[in-house]
Amino acid sequence: MTFFKKLKSTAAVYFLALTFMLFIQNVHATCSPYIGEVTINEIYRIPGQGNNPTTGFIEVKIINEDLNAFPVNTWQLSLCDSTNDCELIPLTNAEKLCEDCPWTFITEDGVPPSEYNADLVDFNDGFDLRLIDENGANVDYIMVNGVVNQFPVADCPYPYPNLALSDNSTKSIHRIGDGTGFWLPVTCNAAKCNTPGSGNDDDSFPYLQIDSVDVTQGETATLTVSMVDKNGRDTTFDQIVSFDFRTEEGTALADQHFISIVDTFYIPVGQSSTQVQIDTILIPDLITRNLQGVVFGASAANVGVGISDITILPATINGIYQIRHDGQGLTCEAEPIEVIACTDATCSAINTSITTDVILTVNGLAQTINIVNGVSDNASIVHVDANTPATLSLADDYVCLNTTNGSDSCQINFADAGFVLQSLDALSCSSTQVTIKAVKKDELTKQCVGALVGNKNINFNFNYAAPVSGSSIPSINGEQMEPAGVDKPFILNFNANSEATINNFSYLDAGLITLNASYIEPSGELSGLILMGSENILFYPAKLNAVASTLSNLPLDGVNSEKAGLPFNLGVSAQCADGTVTPNYIPSTNISIEINSKRLAPVDPILGGNGSITFNTGTHISGLTDNWRSTNIEPSNFVLGNFTDNAAIYSEVGTLTVEFRDTNYQGKVLTGDVVPVGRFTPHHFAQISEPDIQGTLTTSCNAFAYTGQMVTSMPSLGAVNYLVNPQLRITPKNAQGVTTKNYINEFMMLPLLSADITDEVDIDVPTTDAQQLGQLALLVDVNGQMNNGTFIAKTTAVDSGVVNYQFSNLDDFVYVRNQNSLISVFTAQLEFNVNEIKDRDGTSTNYIDLNGTAIDATENTSASDIEIRFARWRIQNSFGPETSNLAQPLQLEYFDTDNYVLSSDDNCTSVDQALMSLSRITVDPTAVIGGSSQFSNGENRLLEIMAPGVGNQGEMAVTYDVFNWFKFDWAGDNDGNFDENPTAVATFGRFNTSGRIINKREIDKN
């Protein structure tokens, strides 16, 4: 066979790379002009066992039909594993696999090669492979699991996908469509994977592809995962598609530059795509970073393009500053202010990258303010004119915030006298101490000195600062104040330093309260002196607690349960230490409240897995470690201190814990209790009956059974039972149709002991054979008795959550013996109609899906492979001298086609002399001897009738009381009862009943 034959047909050409040589690695080569005309198409590996080496093949396909086999047979493949161990594979050994096959390079003996180091093909740790032309230029390239040893993919403009994902269950990876498509990992047997020279196209679409995006720092990257057909066109599928997704660090680091994700996502029926969102973190700085998103573990679809490249671009910072002040100052002391570098005009975030000096102007007078990491360093101003407000401004873009009233005023009013109030933040529903000092400007020193001594009637009022309204009213020393903005006098005692104390300023809610104090001296030396002052006092919730319930408002506290994948109520409640809700709590931003959900139970070293919780706009993994994620709850969505998502979903079985925190509530970090949530049960069961768990039938001895045959020692039991017990595979699912792997241990609610089974299994006992028609054109009747079987929980990680129901060893069946069953031999086929499987939580194979459709998710199972025979027991007539015992010829026969034939393989049926009876015809009966025995090859001659003795010639009637399944219509009246025992005639004194004898005498032997 020549290698130089030019291909005439449009069929693509395959090459199989076989022999490996030592490779000098990490060589950057030029790009071949053959790029796109020849591709690496399939890589197959058979792991070695015992003394057998690892083998496999690498298939190369010629795309350009005008390209000759030469020069491709002069090319090479370069293969490197994850440890950078590399070899060269020359494409030199070529032959055609069959007359009609494409051209393929294989070994001379036509089997997968053993002379190359196939262990370099490592589907778990990864490898990379490139195709090199005769000049050493690159033709095609593939990297598996991100291994890049030889050169970057981008070195050449390959037109077809170059990235593949696999794991230790992968047997082969190949392109779909053939030669040009996505790399698809395949887990299959050798017969399906070991296909050198064959195309890869099949009907296993759809498959998934994910796009790559650029995102600005601090924004959300939105990735689209689409389902496409083999031509790359959008498509849908007739069942829910699920896939796993994870982020992988590049130069962008998890939880520093982006919020990491490991989660499961779904594409509903009828839709062609879904979105995955990744939050990035505003630093801000001017560095571009990258990460990857990986799609894997798809259900009901294949992974095509499974890697997304995500580039985080620097944020565009609109340099703006915010001047913060309380609106009031004293001319006799410096007034503190704060200058903040902001990321935007709302100043929702501080630009911590800014360290600089800015020029602050106060009524035209300039001073320098030092900014360190976005915040001014102990800034203050001095203003000595009580008649003129101080107006603040910056040379840069700026805004102002009056922290007392929330306005954007840049003016501070100064006075020569006033109150200086100081307090500490306090927990909601508690109190804080407020100190108040009365001061005035000394006319000589211009410094602040004490202004009041003794008891004074001070007017106090308050305002809601953040939020700007409320319903709860603060109290001073146990006495409630007037509503917001209304003065109420309280007597305070000022000491010699002009200081007084409010020991208990309390507020039964959350928020920022502005406490305002005012006083006019009515008489004396300071008559008419006006003092005013204010203080912002923060009351913050003691905890942000999770609150969970069913949609019918039953608490999910371990007593009640909800189905996995169905909506339930999950909320966050701002509370005082005693659980009182603080209705005025509102978070500062939509990113400040975070959720952390963790799997509480079950936890098993082998079985189970992490579920995901969908809350508000995000889905969060519930693993065994902390995974804090932003909830994106808009502040306006809080109502009276609570936010509730009525469509929260947990994807798994078991219980989880949920906790919330507010990372920046007026500068405070609020935490909450770790709240158990659950129990969650499967939404439904999907029960299937696959060939590997269907049953086979047998009897206690023979490899066949007779119609009507019962167990001889227990006549109430049919003789047909199981050689291999049928099983039902029961897979727990959530409402989206995804297997719940945590249906294990204490959360598996199917009883493991057959004695505990009550109504969990509803299976019909077969009443007919599933296929065989009888003499009357009706299905052959069957009687059966079925008992409780056994539920067997799977114990491997891959089958976690799956439970098999194994039919009972005590089940028995009998094919009914009647006129209809008088037919030729046939193979039994019992079909078991499964009506329902349900557990003690009510999880069932009969359920209502998310579209409101009633679903029966059961499949019938079967047991077969035993031959059924319609048989009879026959006694042949016997003849012999009256002086000798007469053996009784017994035989078993069954109907086959048009005749009864010997049941020559019956070596089990028993014979007992006590069941044979004799009666007189012309000679008195004697006795039957022979004891007990069995048929051998369908016959038995071990029972004998004792000889009646000399001169006692004549006939006896012989009857054997046979098992019911051997009785027959010996009378031939066709009544269909088959209830007559076999009979025969034993004749003594005659040796032959056939032929006519004229004379009989002794012949002289001499």
Side-chain angles (χ1 to χ4, degrees):
M1 183 173 292
T2 176
F3 295 126
F4 305 98
K5 178 179 179 181
K6 184 171 182 177
L7 300 178
K8 301 297 185 181
S9 69
T10 59
V13 181
Y14 294 82
F15 289 85
L16 199 59
L18 303 171
T19 316
F20 286 78
M21 298 168 52
L22 185 62
F23 171 61
I24 305 301
Q25 56 200 7
N26 292 328
V27 177
H28 286 253
T30 58
C31 300
S32 171
Y34 294 107
I35 285 179
E37 298 184 11
V38 183
T39 62
I40 304 168
N41 192 44
E42 184 172 1
I43 304 169
Y44 174 65
R45 178 178 183 266
I46 308 172
Q49 294 183 352
N51 295 324
N52 298 320
T54 298
T55 59
F57 66 80
I58 303 172
E59 186 178 82
V60 178
K61 178 172 181 177
I62 296 179
I63 304 298
N64 182 359
E65 64 185 52
D66 295 325
L67 187 63
N68 291 329
F70 177 85
V72 177
N73 58 0
T74 68
W75 295 359
Q76 299 179 94
L77 287 162
S78 171
L79 173 66
C80 294
D81 69 7
S82 61
T83 67
N84 221 6
D85 187 8
C86 303
E87 293 192 43
L88 277 181
I89 313 164
L91 302 179
T92 54
N93 299 326
E95 68 178 11
K96 214 172 188 183
L97 289 179
C98 64
E99 188 60 32
D100 298 325
C101 292
W103 286 85
T104 306
F105 285 103
I106 63 169
T107 52
E108 293 179 359
D109 59 5
V111 298
S114 59
E115 62 265 35
Y116 71 87
N117 185 7
D119 281 319
L120 295 178
V121 176
D122 188 338
F123 287 125
N124 192 44
D125 293 335
F127 58 93
D128 68 345
L129 176 71
R130 62 178 174 138
L131 177 63
I132 310 166
D133 69 13
E134 71 274 18
N135 297 316
N138 298 315
V139 180
D140 195 18
Y141 176 79
I142 175 178
M143 70 163 71
V144 180
N145 292 346
V147 172
V148 184
N149 284 321
Q150 303 186 58
F151 60 91
V153 175
D155 276 12
C156 292
Y158 306 107
Y160 310 122
N162 300 92
L163 307 177
L165 298 174
S166 62
D167 57 33
N168 56 13
S169 67
T170 301
K171 302 294 190 300
S172 170
I173 57 174
H174 57 225
R175 291 188 186 271
I176 297 181
D178 197 54
T180 62
F182 299 102
W183 282 100
L184 180 70
V186 181
T187 302
C188 57
N189 58 38
K192 292 184 178 180
C193 285
N194 189 4
T195 56
S198 300
N200 301 332
D201 286 335
D202 57 28
D203 295 325
S204 62
F205 295 102
Y207 55 89
L208 303 176
Q209 62 180 22
I210 187 170
D211 61 353
S212 296
V213 299
D214 294 343
V215 62
T216 301
Q217 193 181 101
E219 296 182 355
T220 298
T222 300
L223 311 178
T224 300
V225 179
S226 305
M227 291 194 300
V228 296
D229 61 20
K230 65 181 181 180
N231 297 312
R233 296 174 299 200
D234 289 346
T235 188
T236 59
F237 201 48
D238 59 3
Q239 58 180 290
I240 294 173
V241 170
S242 69
F243 61 89
D244 295 326
F245 179 87
R246 68 174 183 265
T247 50
E248 291 189 351
E249 295 180 339
T251 56
L253 303 179
D255 300 323
Q256 294 185 37
H257 307 117
F258 68 93
I259 304 299
S260 61
I261 296 177
V262 179
D263 213 341
T264 301
F265 295 84
Y266 308 93
I267 301 178
V269 173
Q271 296 185 19
S272 62
S273 66
T274 191
Q275 291 183 333
V276 177
Q277 293 187 326
I278 303 172
D279 293 330
T280 66
I281 300 172
L282 182 66
I283 305 301
D285 57 24
L286 300 178
I287 299 174
T288 297
R289 298 179 176 88
N290 62 75
L291 67 142
Q292 287 186 329
V294 179
V295 173
F296 64 102
S299 170
N302 301 309
V303 178
V305 177
I307 297 179
S308 171
D309 291 315
I310 304 155
T311 303
I312 303 177
L313 302 173
T316 301
I317 303 299
N318 297 319
I320 193 168
Y321 294 91
Q322 184 182 67
I323 304 171
R324 298 181 178 180
H325 62 89
D326 64 8
Q328 299 179 31
L330 292 169
T331 59
C332 54
E333 65 180 14
E335 174 66 13
I337 64 165
E338 194 172 40
V339 179
I340 304 295
C342 304
T343 59
D344 55 38
T346 64
C347 212
S348 59
I350 297 174
N351 187 349
T352 57
S353 68
I354 302 298
T355 297
T356 187
D357 292 339
V358 296
I359 303 302
L360 174 71
T361 301
V362 181
N363 291 355
L365 298 176
Q367 64 183 81
T368 300
I369 302 294
N370 302 118
I371 306 290
V372 178
N373 296 329
V375 180
S376 59
D377 184 20
N378 294 321
S380 63
I381 66 170
V382 174
H383 186 71
V384 297
D385 186 356
N387 297 316
T388 304
T391 301
L392 311 183
S393 63
L394 293 174
D396 303 273
D397 291 339
Y398 70 97
V399 293
C400 294
L401 174 65
N402 183 321
T403 59
T404 298
N405 58 26
S407 73
D408 60 359
S409 172
C410 294
Q411 288 189 347
I412 302 176
N413 295 313
F414 280 80
D416 291 333
F419 290 122
V420 178
L421 283 73
Q422 291 182 323
S423 67
L424 297 176
D425 300 335
L427 291 172
S428 299
C429 301
S430 70
S431 63
T432 185
Q433 188 179 79
V434 181
T435 61
I436 179 169
K437 185 173 183 179
V439 298
K440 66 182 182 66
K441 182 170 68 175
D442 184 276
E443 293 300 330
L444 183 62
T445 65
K446 307 301 182 184
Q447 299 299 307
C448 289
V449 296
L452 299 178
V453 176
N455 291 333
K456 302 293 181 181
N457 216 10
I458 309 299
N459 287 317
F460 286 98
N461 68 58
F462 77 96
N463 292 310
Y464 300 104
V468 295
S469 62
S471 58
S472 182
I473 297 177
S475 295
I476 294 177
N477 294 331
E479 184 179 347
Q480 185 171 293
M481 300 177 68
E482 295 293 333
V486 179
D487 285 340
K488 182 174 182 177
F490 290 84
I491 297 176
L492 296 183
N493 181 262
F494 289 86
N495 61 21
N497 295 320
S498 296
E499 293 179 349
T501 300
I502 298 174
N503 291 314
N504 292 290
F505 181 75
S506 60
Y507 183 54
L508 303 181
D509 208 331
L512 195 63
I513 296 296
T514 301
L515 179 62
N516 301 305
S518 63
Y519 175 75
I520 301 176
E521 179 62 40
S523 61
E525 182 183 350
L526 299 178
S527 177
L529 178 66
I530 300 174
L531 295 93
M532 301 177 64
S534 63
E535 170 74 339
N536 287 329
I537 304 174
L538 176 66
F539 288 87
Y540 56 95
K543 53 190 175 182
L544 290 182
N545 267 10
V547 180
S549 66
T550 66
L551 293 184
S552 57
N553 293 319
L554 296 175
L556 282 173
D557 54 3
V559 176
N560 303 296
S561 63
E562 185 56 272
K563 294 185 180 298
L566 284 186
F568 68 98
N569 299 323
L570 178 61
V572 52
S573 177
Q575 299 175 359
C576 300
D578 62 359
T580 302
V581 176
T582 56
N584 239 27
Y585 167 81
I586 297 176
S588 301
T589 68
N590 66 346
I591 63 171
S592 63
I593 293 187
E594 296 181 343
I595 185 174
N596 183 34
S597 60
K598 294 168 64 176
R599 173 159 50 113
L600 178 61
V603 176
D604 187 279
I606 298 174
L607 303 177
N610 295 332
S612 60
I613 186 168
T614 299
F615 177 73
N616 197 30
T617 61
T619 301
H620 318 281
I621 287 294
S622 297
L624 299 177
T625 57
D626 289 337
N627 182 29
W628 287 99
R629 295 289 311 281
S630 173
T631 61
N632 294 312
I633 301 173
E634 292 295 337
S636 59
N637 289 336
F638 262 81
V639 178
L640 299 178
N642 295 294
F643 170 83
T644 301
D645 181 2
N646 303 120
I649 290 174
Y650 183 54
S651 67
E652 259 294 349
V653 166
T655 57
L656 66 154
T657 61
V658 177
E659 57 181 320
F660 290 97
R661 69 184 180 191
D662 187 333
T663 59
N664 185 12
Y665 179 70
Q666 302 294 334
K668 297 287 185 181
V669 175
L670 308 183
T671 60
D673 296 337
V674 178
V675 177
V677 176
R679 190 173 47 94
F680 291 90
T681 70
H683 177 265
H684 63 272
F685 292 134
Q687 176 264 309
I688 60 174
S689 174
E690 296 179 336
D692 65 316
I693 56 174
Q694 292 178 352
T696 56
L697 298 171
T698 189
T699 61
S700 60
C701 183
N702 291 319
F704 56 86
Y706 299 114
T707 54
Q709 184 178 359
M710 309 298 285
V711 177
T712 55
S713 60
M714 300 183 68
S716 63
L717 301 181
V720 177
N721 48 50
Y722 305 125
L723 177 63
V724 176
N725 297 37
Q727 295 187 34
L728 306 177
R729 185 161 295 149
I730 304 160
T731 304
K733 301 283 187 177
N734 63 22
Q736 287 72 36
V738 178
T739 299
T740 55
K741 291 184 172 294
N742 287 342
Y743 190 68
I744 59 173
N745 304 338
E746 70 270 29
F747 295 96
M748 200 282 284
M749 293 296 172
L750 291 165
L752 292 176
L753 298 178
S754 60
D756 295 333
I757 295 176
T758 54
D759 60 349
E760 288 82 6
V761 181
D762 184 0
I763 303 174
D764 291 337
V765 179
T767 58
T768 66
D769 188 87
Q771 301 175 348
Q772 184 62 50
L773 294 177
Q775 188 184 100
L776 305 179
L778 301 173
L779 290 173
V780 175
D781 291 331
V782 174
N783 289 333
Q785 301 175 89
M786 294 181 66
N787 301 272
N788 288 340
T790 305
F791 287 104
I792 304 171
K794 291 291 189 176
T795 58
T796 61
V798 67
D799 288 325
S800 180
V802 177
V803 180
N804 279 12
Y805 175 76
Q806 181 170 288
F807 286 36
S808 173
N809 293 329
L810 302 178
D811 293 354
D812 68 272
F813 306 94
V814 58
Y815 274 75
V816 176
R817 186 176 175 85
N818 55 27
Q819 190 68 42
N820 188 51
S821 61
L822 203 168
I823 56 174
S824 294
V825 173
F826 64 92
T827 300
Q829 180 76 24
L830 295 181
E831 183 166 305
F832 301 93
N833 181 52
V834 182
N835 297 310
E836 184 181 19
I837 305 292
K838 67 177 180 180
D839 70 6
R840 293 179 177 179
D841 283 326
T843 303
S844 171
T845 51
N846 299 337
Y847 66 96
I848 305 298
D849 70 8
L850 294 178
N851 296 319
T853 303
I855 302 296
D856 179 358
T858 60
E859 288 185 5
N860 294 348
T861 191
S862 63
S864 59
D865 295 341
I866 189 172
E867 189 177 276
I868 302 297
R869 301 174 177 179
F870 190 98
R872 65 185 186 184
W873 183 311
R874 186 181 185 88
I875 310 175
Q876 295 183 1
N877 293 333
S878 57
F879 309 90
E882 71 273 19
T883 57
S884 299
N885 294 343
L886 189 56
Q888 295 303 294
L890 311 178
Q891 67 182 40
L892 300 176
E893 303 172 337
Y894 64 89
F895 187 74
D896 190 21
T897 312
D898 296 322
N899 300 297
Y900 283 91
V901 298
L902 181 67
S903 187
S904 59
D905 49 356
D906 190 328
N907 297 298
C908 292
T909 300
S910 63
V911 176
D912 190 338
Q913 70 177 49
L915 297 176
M916 181 174 280
S917 60
L918 306 174
S919 61
R920 176 185 175 85
I921 299 179
T922 60
V923 67
D924 290 336
T926 55
V928 179
I929 61 174
S932 299
S933 60
Q934 290 179 315
F935 278 85
S936 175
N937 298 324
E939 297 181 311
N940 185 290
R941 299 178 66 87
L942 299 179
L943 295 186
E944 296 180 347
I945 301 175
M946 294 182 63
V950 175
N952 293 312
Q953 296 182 345
E955 298 176 336
M956 298 180 194
V958 181
T959 302
Y960 194 100
D961 187 9
V962 300
F963 299 117
N964 288 336
W965 52 95
F966 290 125
K967 292 182 179 180
F968 190 63
D969 182 14
W970 294 108
D973 55 13
N974 296 319
D975 60 2
N977 291 327
F978 305 104
D979 55 0
E980 298 163 359
N981 284 315
T983 61
V985 176
T987 303
F988 289 92
R990 296 176 65 183
F991 298 91
N992 194 341
T993 60
S994 62
R996 301 179 65 183
I997 299 174
I998 298 174
N999 183 39
K1000 180 167 67 176
R1001 68 182 176 87
E1002 191 84 21
I1003 297 176
D1004 188 351
K1005 296 181 180 178
N1006 296 323

